[in-house]
Amino acid sequence: MAILLIAEHDNAHLKDGTAKVLTAAKAIGGDIDILVAGEGVAAVAEAASKLGGVRKVLVADGAGLKNHIAEALEALIVPLAASYDTIIFAADTTGKNAAPRIAAKLDVMQISEIVSVEAPDTFTRPIYAGNALMTVKSTDAKRVVTVRLASFQASLEGGSAPVEVVDGSAAAPKTTFVGQELSKSDRPELVGAKRIVSGGRAMGSSENFVIIEKLADRIGAAVGASRAAVDAGYAPNDYQVGQTGKIVAPELYVAIGISGAIQHLAGMKDSKVIVAINKDEEAPIFQVADYGLVGDLFKVVPELIGALDAAGV
């Protein structure tokens, strides 16, 4: 059995999600090759080769692969698929865009956002906004799988896999990349952050939301928000955590002024430690919190920042 893992990267750096997908691939079992497709990706390939448990790294370097357009990845991956039983992606923007197209070309069912591996052909994935889990067994000759990164720990380094070049010049799609608008921040990226501080509708305004950002900056955390806070205009869309936002699983998740609607819980319930601050002692968030504090956030959070300063943390 052989697995082709599509690396997650920005053409310069290998992202942490690749190591998490590798953990899922190891659970499936078999020889694992990593495909690094992009432009100027020598450093990415080197980083991928250091991950433990990798047989070899395939490098496809070409201008048509720079922006990870689905059509370009399809032209590259479908011919390679003949040598593999499973093709596995992170369930990120690239995976969600390219995997369905590749599955269609291979005439197989895509298995989306798995959270565990039960057997080489059997996986568990969430349904009904995470309210239930479904076990899926594939009878297809080949499997195309995307992985929910929040559900897997990253594999460690310690490997020295050989790097092999494959032809990436054929991946020149008719689709043209026009541009992208990316939000820039000095804070950690929300999906991969180890600490997250999130605010909810109780913040009351975008001006008050600055309190969340101050605490996040104080502890080196990313900033998140509930959908209610985003819909009210208190925080930008890219802060949203939940069913219709980003799925996260940090080591520490601090929920401030968030009631704990099921849609929000679906996006952060796998966090290692959950701290909730809310003035409503009946708020559902306290049912999943490891630590809960009932109080006025506009008093409690400044006191918490002051205590951190005093302690020199």
Side-chain angles (χ1 to χ4, degrees):
M1 181 177 292
I3 300 170
L4 181 64
L5 189 164
I6 313 305
E8 183 188 12
H9 63 89
D10 60 4
N11 291 307
H13 306 95
L14 185 70
K15 295 186 177 181
D16 292 342
T18 302
K20 294 182 178 181
V21 178
L22 178 58
T23 300
K26 290 177 179 177
I28 295 171
D31 295 323
I32 303 170
D33 296 344
I34 296 180
L35 172 64
V36 177
E39 184 179 35
V41 291
V44 178
E46 182 180 356
S49 70
K50 295 178 180 178
L51 292 173
V54 177
R55 180 175 64 173
K56 64 181 177 180
V57 176
L58 305 179
V59 181
D61 200 320
L65 295 166
K66 178 180 180 180
N67 298 298
H68 309 149
I69 296 173
E71 291 86 345
L73 291 175
E74 172 225 315
L76 171 66
I77 294 171
V78 170
L80 294 175
S83 302
Y84 297 94
D85 303 287
T86 301
I87 300 170
I88 192 167
F89 293 79
D92 62 353
T93 303
T94 299
K96 291 178 180 180
N97 190 27
R101 187 178 184 93
I102 292 167
K105 287 290 184 178
L106 296 175
D107 194 25
V108 300
M109 176 184 73
Q110 178 185 320
I111 304 173
S112 302
E113 295 205 41
I114 66 167
V115 296
S116 68
V117 178
E118 311 304 327
D121 60 353
T122 308
F123 310 90
T124 299
R125 60 179 301 270
I127 57 174
Y128 302 135
N131 288 323
L133 295 174
M134 177 172 65
T135 301
V136 180
K137 182 172 183 177
S138 173
T139 58
D140 290 324
K142 296 184 184 295
R143 291 169 291 278
V144 177
V145 178
T146 63
V147 175
R148 178 170 286 190
L149 299 181
S151 299
F152 293 88
Q153 296 292 323
S155 289
L156 300 177
E157 293 186 353
S160 57
V163 176
E164 179 180 315
V165 175
V166 296
D167 185 11
S169 61
K174 296 180 180 178
T175 303
T176 302
F177 180 81
V178 176
Q180 62 184 355
E181 294 183 8
L182 300 175
S183 59
K184 295 182 179 181
S185 175
D186 293 331
R187 300 187 183 100
E189 184 181 357
L190 184 58
V191 173
K194 293 183 178 180
R195 301 174 182 175
I196 297 174
V197 179
S198 284
R201 180 162 40 195
M203 300 309 302
S205 68
S206 56
E207 290 77 17
N208 289 339
F209 206 86
V210 173
I211 297 173
I212 300 296
E213 296 173 339
K214 285 183 178 179
L215 178 57
D217 292 341
R218 184 63 186 76
I219 63 174
V223 176
S226 67
R227 178 171 179 171
V230 171
D231 287 349
Y234 305 160
N237 288 334
D238 57 339
Y239 282 12
Q240 185 175 328
V241 173
Q243 174 191 350
T244 54
K246 295 176 180 177
I247 308 297
V248 299
E251 295 177 2
L252 173 65
Y253 188 88
V254 183
I256 301 174
I258 295 175
S259 63
I262 189 64
Q263 291 85 353
H264 186 77
L265 297 183
M268 46 67 71
K269 62 182 176 59
D270 291 326
S271 302
K272 306 302 180 292
V273 177
I274 299 173
V275 176
I277 300 173
N278 200 298
K279 66 179 181 180
D280 179 10
E281 62 182 17
E282 300 297 329
I285 191 70
F286 288 124
Q287 297 178 13
V288 299
D290 297 286
Y291 301 93
L293 177 57
V294 178
D296 182 351
L297 69 90
F298 296 108
K299 179 181 179 182
V300 170
V301 176
E303 288 179 350
L304 176 57
I305 294 174
L308 290 170
D309 291 339
V313 177

PDB file of all heavy atoms in Angstrom, residues 162-192:
ATOM      1  N   PRO A 162      14.897  10.659   0.599  1.00  0.00           N
ATOM      2  CA  PRO A 162      15.475  11.178  -0.650  1.00  0.00           C
ATOM      3  C   PRO A 162      14.476  12.067  -1.391  1.00  0.00           C
ATOM      4  O   PRO A 162      13.268  11.912  -1.250  1.00  0.00           O
ATOM      5  CB  PRO A 162      15.783   9.907  -1.447  1.00  0.00           C
ATOM      6  CG  PRO A 162      14.820   8.896  -0.929  1.00  0.00           C
ATOM      7  CD  PRO A 162      14.643   9.212   0.524  1.00  0.00           C
ATOM      8  N   VAL A 163      14.992  13.004  -2.154  1.00  0.00           N
ATOM      9  CA  VAL A 163      14.164  13.931  -2.922  1.00  0.00           C
ATOM     10  C   VAL A 163      14.269  13.563  -4.400  1.00  0.00           C
ATOM     11  O   VAL A 163      15.366  13.407  -4.943  1.00  0.00           O
ATOM     12  CB  VAL A 163      14.606  15.390  -2.703  1.00  0.00           C
ATOM     13  CG1 VAL A 163      13.797  16.333  -3.583  1.00  0.00           C
ATOM     14  CG2 VAL A 163      14.472  15.775  -1.231  1.00  0.00           C
ATOM     15  N   GLU A 164      13.122  13.429  -5.034  1.00  0.00           N
ATOM     16  CA  GLU A 164      13.068  13.028  -6.439  1.00  0.00           C
ATOM     17  C   GLU A 164      12.279  14.069  -7.232  1.00  0.00           C
ATOM     18  O   GLU A 164      11.190  14.478  -6.817  1.00  0.00           O
ATOM     19  CB  GLU A 164      12.402  11.657  -6.547  1.00  0.00           C
ATOM     20  CG  GLU A 164      12.244  11.124  -7.957  1.00  0.00           C
ATOM     21  CD  GLU A 164      11.565   9.763  -7.962  1.00  0.00           C
ATOM     22  OE1 GLU A 164      11.953   8.906  -7.136  1.00  0.00           O
ATOM     23  OE2 GLU A 164      10.638   9.574  -8.773  1.00  0.00           O
ATOM     24  N   VAL A 165      12.810  14.496  -8.344  1.00  0.00           N
ATOM     25  CA  VAL A 165      12.161  15.524  -9.166  1.00  0.00           C
ATOM     26  C   VAL A 165      11.196  14.869 -10.145  1.00  0.00           C
ATOM     27  O   VAL A 165      11.531  13.866 -10.790  1.00  0.00           O
ATOM     28  CB  VAL A 165      13.200  16.352  -9.937  1.00  0.00           C
ATOM     29  CG1 VAL A 165      12.520  17.350 -10.883  1.00  0.00           C
ATOM     30  CG2 VAL A 165      14.120  17.083  -8.971  1.00  0.00           C
ATOM     31  N   VAL A 166       9.973  15.428 -10.228  1.00  0.00           N
ATOM     32  CA  VAL A 166       9.015  14.992 -11.239  1.00  0.00           C
ATOM     33  C   VAL A 166       8.675  16.195 -12.113  1.00  0.00           C
ATOM     34  O   VAL A 166       8.823  17.344 -11.699  1.00  0.00           O
ATOM     35  CB  VAL A 166       7.726  14.414 -10.597  1.00  0.00           C
ATOM     36  CG1 VAL A 166       8.033  13.161  -9.812  1.00  0.00           C
ATOM     37  CG2 VAL A 166       7.044  15.436  -9.712  1.00  0.00           C
ATOM     38  N   ASP A 167       8.215  15.927 -13.310  1.00  0.00           N
ATOM     39  CA  ASP A 167       7.956  16.990 -14.283  1.00  0.00           C
ATOM     40  C   ASP A 167       6.708  17.781 -13.899  1.00  0.00           C
ATOM     41  O   ASP A 167       5.613  17.227 -13.819  1.00  0.00           O
ATOM     42  CB  ASP A 167       7.788  16.385 -15.676  1.00  0.00           C
ATOM     43  CG  ASP A 167       7.638  17.449 -16.760  1.00  0.00           C
ATOM     44  OD1 ASP A 167       7.882  18.636 -16.451  1.00  0.00           O
ATOM     45  OD2 ASP A 167       7.274  17.096 -17.896  1.00  0.00           O
ATOM     46  N   GLY A 168       6.885  19.070 -13.642  1.00  0.00           N
ATOM     47  CA  GLY A 168       5.751  19.922 -13.324  1.00  0.00           C
ATOM     48  C   GLY A 168       5.359  20.846 -14.451  1.00  0.00           C
ATOM     49  O   GLY A 168       4.435  21.655 -14.312  1.00  0.00           O
ATOM     50  N   SER A 169       6.020  20.734 -15.583  1.00  0.00           N
ATOM     51  CA  SER A 169       5.767  21.665 -16.688  1.00  0.00           C
ATOM     52  C   SER A 169       4.427  21.424 -17.365  1.00  0.00           C
ATOM     53  O   SER A 169       3.854  22.338 -17.971  1.00  0.00           O
ATOM     54  CB  SER A 169       6.892  21.559 -17.728  1.00  0.00           C
ATOM     55  OG  SER A 169       6.946  20.240 -18.271  1.00  0.00           O
ATOM     56  N   ALA A 170       3.905  20.193 -17.262  1.00  0.00           N
ATOM     57  CA  ALA A 170       2.631  19.894 -17.932  1.00  0.00           C
ATOM     58  C   ALA A 170       1.448  20.513 -17.217  1.00  0.00           C
ATOM     59  O   ALA A 170       0.358  20.633 -17.765  1.00  0.00           O
ATOM     60  CB  ALA A 170       2.445  18.379 -18.023  1.00  0.00           C
ATOM     61  N   ALA A 171       1.658  20.921 -15.981  1.00  0.00           N
ATOM     62  CA  ALA A 171       0.561  21.475 -15.183  1.00  0.00           C
ATOM     63  C   ALA A 171       0.366  22.950 -15.499  1.00  0.00           C
ATOM     64  O   ALA A 171       0.619  23.831 -14.678  1.00  0.00           O
ATOM     65  CB  ALA A 171       0.849  21.278 -13.703  1.00  0.00           C
ATOM     66  N   ALA A 172      -0.049  23.229 -16.711  1.00  0.00           N
ATOM     67  CA  ALA A 172      -0.291  24.607 -17.153  1.00  0.00           C
ATOM     68  C   ALA A 172      -1.765  24.744 -17.525  1.00  0.00           C
ATOM     69  O   ALA A 172      -2.151  24.537 -18.672  1.00  0.00           O
ATOM     70  CB  ALA A 172       0.600  24.935 -18.348  1.00  0.00           C
ATOM     71  N   PRO A 173      -2.619  25.072 -16.569  1.00  0.00           N
ATOM     72  CA  PRO A 173      -4.067  25.093 -16.818  1.00  0.00           C
ATOM     73  C   PRO A 173      -4.514  26.295 -17.642  1.00  0.00           C
ATOM     74  O   PRO A 173      -3.792  27.284 -17.777  1.00  0.00           O
ATOM     75  CB  PRO A 173      -4.641  25.178 -15.401  1.00  0.00           C
ATOM     76  CG  PRO A 173      -3.602  25.942 -14.650  1.00  0.00           C
ATOM     77  CD  PRO A 173      -2.290  25.470 -15.213  1.00  0.00           C
ATOM     78  N   LYS A 174      -5.722  26.171 -18.182  1.00  0.00           N
ATOM     79  CA  LYS A 174      -6.313  27.307 -18.895  1.00  0.00           C
ATOM     80  C   LYS A 174      -6.738  28.395 -17.913  1.00  0.00           C
ATOM     81  O   LYS A 174      -6.821  29.564 -18.263  1.00  0.00           O
ATOM     82  CB  LYS A 174      -7.510  26.834 -19.711  1.00  0.00           C
ATOM     83  CG  LYS A 174      -7.152  25.850 -20.818  1.00  0.00           C
ATOM     84  CD  LYS A 174      -8.397  25.412 -21.584  1.00  0.00           C
ATOM     85  CE  LYS A 174      -8.029  24.423 -22.683  1.00  0.00           C
ATOM     86  NZ  LYS A 174      -9.239  23.952 -23.413  1.00  0.00           N
ATOM     87  N   THR A 175      -7.009  27.986 -16.694  1.00  0.00           N
ATOM     88  CA  THR A 175      -7.378  28.953 -15.660  1.00  0.00           C
ATOM     89  C   THR A 175      -6.181  29.833 -15.328  1.00  0.00           C
ATOM     90  O   THR A 175      -5.058  29.361 -15.203  1.00  0.00           O
ATOM     91  CB  THR A 175      -7.834  28.226 -14.377  1.00  0.00           C
ATOM     92  OG1 THR A 175      -8.908  27.368 -14.702  1.00  0.00           O
ATOM     93  CG2 THR A 175      -8.269  29.209 -13.319  1.00  0.00           C
ATOM     94  N   THR A 176      -6.424  31.129 -15.199  1.00  0.00           N
ATOM     95  CA  THR A 176      -5.365  32.085 -14.892  1.00  0.00           C
ATOM     96  C   THR A 176      -5.540  32.650 -13.496  1.00  0.00           C
ATOM     97  O   THR A 176      -6.648  33.041 -13.112  1.00  0.00           O
ATOM     98  CB  THR A 176      -5.384  33.251 -15.904  1.00  0.00           C
ATOM     99  OG1 THR A 176      -5.223  32.733 -17.226  1.00  0.00           O
ATOM    100  CG2 THR A 176      -4.251  34.236 -15.619  1.00  0.00           C
ATOM    101  N   PHE A 177      -4.458  32.670 -12.750  1.00  0.00           N
ATOM    102  CA  PHE A 177      -4.496  33.251 -11.417  1.00  0.00           C
ATOM    103  C   PHE A 177      -4.441  34.767 -11.544  1.00  0.00           C
ATOM    104  O   PHE A 177      -3.523  35.326 -12.144  1.00  0.00           O
ATOM    105  CB  PHE A 177      -3.316  32.745 -10.594  1.00  0.00           C
ATOM    106  CG  PHE A 177      -3.260  33.299  -9.202  1.00  0.00           C
ATOM    107  CD1 PHE A 177      -4.050  32.762  -8.201  1.00  0.00           C
ATOM    108  CD2 PHE A 177      -2.438  34.376  -8.898  1.00  0.00           C
ATOM    109  CE1 PHE A 177      -4.006  33.276  -6.909  1.00  0.00           C
ATOM    110  CE2 PHE A 177      -2.392  34.886  -7.618  1.00  0.00           C
ATOM    111  CZ  PHE A 177      -3.181  34.337  -6.622  1.00  0.00           C
ATOM    112  N   VAL A 178      -5.424  35.450 -10.973  1.00  0.00           N
ATOM    113  CA  VAL A 178      -5.515  36.904 -11.102  1.00  0.00           C
ATOM    114  C   VAL A 178      -4.875  37.604  -9.914  1.00  0.00           C
ATOM    115  O   VAL A 178      -4.073  38.529 -10.060  1.00  0.00           O
ATOM    116  CB  VAL A 178      -6.989  37.350 -11.253  1.00  0.00           C
ATOM    117  CG1 VAL A 178      -7.087  38.874 -11.280  1.00  0.00           C
ATOM    118  CG2 VAL A 178      -7.606  36.754 -12.514  1.00  0.00           C
ATOM    119  N   GLY A 179      -5.213  37.178  -8.715  1.00  0.00           N
ATOM    120  CA  GLY A 179      -4.654  37.830  -7.536  1.00  0.00           C
ATOM    121  C   GLY A 179      -5.336  37.352  -6.280  1.00  0.00           C
ATOM    122  O   GLY A 179      -6.290  36.575  -6.332  1.00  0.00           O
ATOM    123  N   GLN A 180      -4.870  37.830  -5.150  1.00  0.00           N
ATOM    124  CA  GLN A 180      -5.475  37.481  -3.875  1.00  0.00           C
ATOM    125  C   GLN A 180      -5.262  38.613  -2.880  1.00  0.00           C
ATOM    126  O   GLN A 180      -4.297  39.366  -2.977  1.00  0.00           O
ATOM    127  CB  GLN A 180      -4.888  36.179  -3.318  1.00  0.00           C
ATOM    128  CG  GLN A 180      -3.406  36.221  -3.022  1.00  0.00           C
ATOM    129  CD  GLN A 180      -2.858  34.881  -2.560  1.00  0.00           C
ATOM    130  OE1 GLN A 180      -3.598  33.925  -2.364  1.00  0.00           O
ATOM    131  NE2 GLN A 180      -1.549  34.798  -2.386  1.00  0.00           N
ATOM    132  N   GLU A 181      -6.173  38.730  -1.952  1.00  0.00           N
ATOM    133  CA  GLU A 181      -6.060  39.724  -0.894  1.00  0.00           C
ATOM    134  C   GLU A 181      -5.941  38.980   0.427  1.00  0.00           C
ATOM    135  O   GLU A 181      -6.860  38.278   0.839  1.00  0.00           O
ATOM    136  CB  GLU A 181      -7.291  40.644  -0.868  1.00  0.00           C
ATOM    137  CG  GLU A 181      -7.418  41.516  -2.113  1.00  0.00           C
ATOM    138  CD  GLU A 181      -8.601  42.452  -2.034  1.00  0.00           C
ATOM    139  OE1 GLU A 181      -9.232  42.530  -0.958  1.00  0.00           O
ATOM    140  OE2 GLU A 181      -8.914  43.090  -3.050  1.00  0.00           O
ATOM    141  N   LEU A 182      -4.806  39.124   1.062  1.00  0.00           N
ATOM    142  CA  LEU A 182      -4.542  38.413   2.301  1.00  0.00           C
ATOM    143  C   LEU A 182      -4.435  39.393   3.457  1.00  0.00           C
ATOM    144  O   LEU A 182      -3.792  40.441   3.336  1.00  0.00           O
ATOM    145  CB  LEU A 182      -3.228  37.618   2.190  1.00  0.00           C
ATOM    146  CG  LEU A 182      -3.167  36.561   1.083  1.00  0.00           C
ATOM    147  CD1 LEU A 182      -1.764  35.954   1.026  1.00  0.00           C
ATOM    148  CD2 LEU A 182      -4.204  35.484   1.325  1.00  0.00           C
ATOM    149  N   SER A 183      -5.071  39.047   4.550  1.00  0.00           N
ATOM    150  CA  SER A 183      -4.931  39.870   5.749  1.00  0.00           C
ATOM    151  C   SER A 183      -3.579  39.576   6.380  1.00  0.00           C
ATOM    152  O   SER A 183      -3.160  38.426   6.472  1.00  0.00           O
ATOM    153  CB  SER A 183      -6.063  39.568   6.748  1.00  0.00           C
ATOM    154  OG  SER A 183      -6.045  38.206   7.106  1.00  0.00           O
ATOM    155  N   LYS A 184      -2.890  40.616   6.811  1.00  0.00           N
ATOM    156  CA  LYS A 184      -1.567  40.464   7.397  1.00  0.00           C
ATOM    157  C   LYS A 184      -1.616  40.839   8.873  1.00  0.00           C
ATOM    158  O   LYS A 184      -2.269  41.801   9.260  1.00  0.00           O
ATOM    159  CB  LYS A 184      -0.555  41.344   6.659  1.00  0.00           C
ATOM    160  CG  LYS A 184      -0.345  40.937   5.209  1.00  0.00           C
ATOM    161  CD  LYS A 184       0.702  41.801   4.541  1.00  0.00           C
ATOM    162  CE  LYS A 184       0.938  41.365   3.087  1.00  0.00           C
ATOM    163  NZ  LYS A 184       1.973  42.194   2.418  1.00  0.00           N
ATOM    164  N   SER A 185      -0.953  40.052   9.676  1.00  0.00           N
ATOM    165  CA  SER A 185      -0.955  40.285  11.108  1.00  0.00           C
ATOM    166  C   SER A 185       0.328  39.766  11.721  1.00  0.00           C
ATOM    167  O   SER A 185       0.912  38.790  11.234  1.00  0.00           O
ATOM    168  CB  SER A 185      -2.157  39.589  11.763  1.00  0.00           C
ATOM    169  OG  SER A 185      -2.112  39.711  13.164  1.00  0.00           O
ATOM    170  N   ASP A 186       0.769  40.444  12.788  1.00  0.00           N
ATOM    171  CA  ASP A 186       1.939  39.977  13.521  1.00  0.00           C
ATOM    172  C   ASP A 186       1.579  38.862  14.489  1.00  0.00           C
ATOM    173  O   ASP A 186       2.454  38.221  15.072  1.00  0.00           O
ATOM    174  CB  ASP A 186       2.570  41.135  14.300  1.00  0.00           C
ATOM    175  CG  ASP A 186       3.177  42.189  13.375  1.00  0.00           C
ATOM    176  OD1 ASP A 186       3.604  41.818  12.265  1.00  0.00           O
ATOM    177  OD2 ASP A 186       3.207  43.369  13.774  1.00  0.00           O
ATOM    178  N   ARG A 187       0.280  38.642  14.672  1.00  0.00           N
ATOM    179  CA  ARG A 187      -0.170  37.579  15.571  1.00  0.00           C
ATOM    180  C   ARG A 187      -0.070  36.222  14.866  1.00  0.00           C
ATOM    181  O   ARG A 187      -0.015  36.143  13.640  1.00  0.00           O
ATOM    182  CB  ARG A 187      -1.614  37.828  15.994  1.00  0.00           C
ATOM    183  CG  ARG A 187      -1.824  39.142  16.730  1.00  0.00           C
ATOM    184  CD  ARG A 187      -3.245  39.257  17.262  1.00  0.00           C
ATOM    185  NE  ARG A 187      -3.461  40.538  17.904  1.00  0.00           N
ATOM    186  CZ  ARG A 187      -4.076  41.567  17.335  1.00  0.00           C
ATOM    187  NH1 ARG A 187      -4.577  41.444  16.123  1.00  0.00           N
ATOM    188  NH2 ARG A 187      -4.220  42.705  17.987  1.00  0.00           N
ATOM    189  N   PRO A 188      -0.085  35.128  15.637  1.00  0.00           N
ATOM    190  CA  PRO A 188      -0.052  33.791  15.023  1.00  0.00           C
ATOM    191  C   PRO A 188      -1.264  33.563  14.122  1.00  0.00           C
ATOM    192  O   PRO A 188      -2.335  34.145  14.328  1.00  0.00           O
ATOM    193  CB  PRO A 188      -0.091  32.849  16.236  1.00  0.00           C
ATOM    194  CG  PRO A 188       0.375  33.674  17.387  1.00  0.00           C
ATOM    195  CD  PRO A 188      -0.077  35.074  17.110  1.00  0.00           C
ATOM    196  N   GLU A 189      -1.093  32.709  13.124  1.00  0.00           N
ATOM    197  CA  GLU A 189      -2.211  32.335  12.259  1.00  0.00           C
ATOM    198  C   GLU A 189      -3.238  31.565  13.079  1.00  0.00           C
ATOM    199  O   GLU A 189      -2.891  30.677  13.858  1.00  0.00           O
ATOM    200  CB  GLU A 189      -1.707  31.472  11.099  1.00  0.00           C
ATOM    201  CG  GLU A 189      -2.770  31.112  10.085  1.00  0.00           C
ATOM    202  CD  GLU A 189      -2.242  30.248   8.962  1.00  0.00           C
ATOM    203  OE1 GLU A 189      -1.023  29.976   8.951  1.00  0.00           O
ATOM    204  OE2 GLU A 189      -3.035  29.849   8.099  1.00  0.00           O
ATOM    205  N   LEU A 190      -4.519  31.893  12.899  1.00  0.00           N
ATOM    206  CA  LEU A 190      -5.567  31.362  13.766  1.00  0.00           C
ATOM    207  C   LEU A 190      -5.616  29.835  13.761  1.00  0.00           C
ATOM    208  O   LEU A 190      -5.678  29.208  14.830  1.00  0.00           O
ATOM    209  CB  LEU A 190      -6.922  31.944  13.334  1.00  0.00           C
ATOM    210  CG  LEU A 190      -8.135  31.571  14.182  1.00  0.00           C
ATOM    211  CD1 LEU A 190      -7.941  31.980  15.631  1.00  0.00           C
ATOM    212  CD2 LEU A 190      -9.398  32.228  13.620  1.00  0.00           C
ATOM    213  N   VAL A 191      -5.597  29.216  12.593  1.00  0.00           N
ATOM    214  CA  VAL A 191      -5.772  27.765  12.513  1.00  0.00           C
ATOM    215  C   VAL A 191      -4.648  27.005  13.196  1.00  0.00           C
ATOM    216  O   VAL A 191      -4.873  25.997  13.855  1.00  0.00           O
ATOM    217  CB  VAL A 191      -5.918  27.317  11.038  1.00  0.00           C
ATOM    218  CG1 VAL A 191      -5.920  25.798  10.931  1.00  0.00           C
ATOM    219  CG2 VAL A 191      -7.200  27.879  10.434  1.00  0.00           C
ATOM    220  N   GLY A 192      -3.432  27.485  13.093  1.00  0.00           N
ATOM    221  CA  GLY A 192      -2.309  26.749  13.665  1.00  0.00           C
ATOM    222  C   GLY A 192      -1.833  27.253  15.011  1.00  0.00           C
ATOM    223  O   GLY A 192      -0.854  26.740  15.552  1.00  0.00           O
TER     224      GLY A 192
END
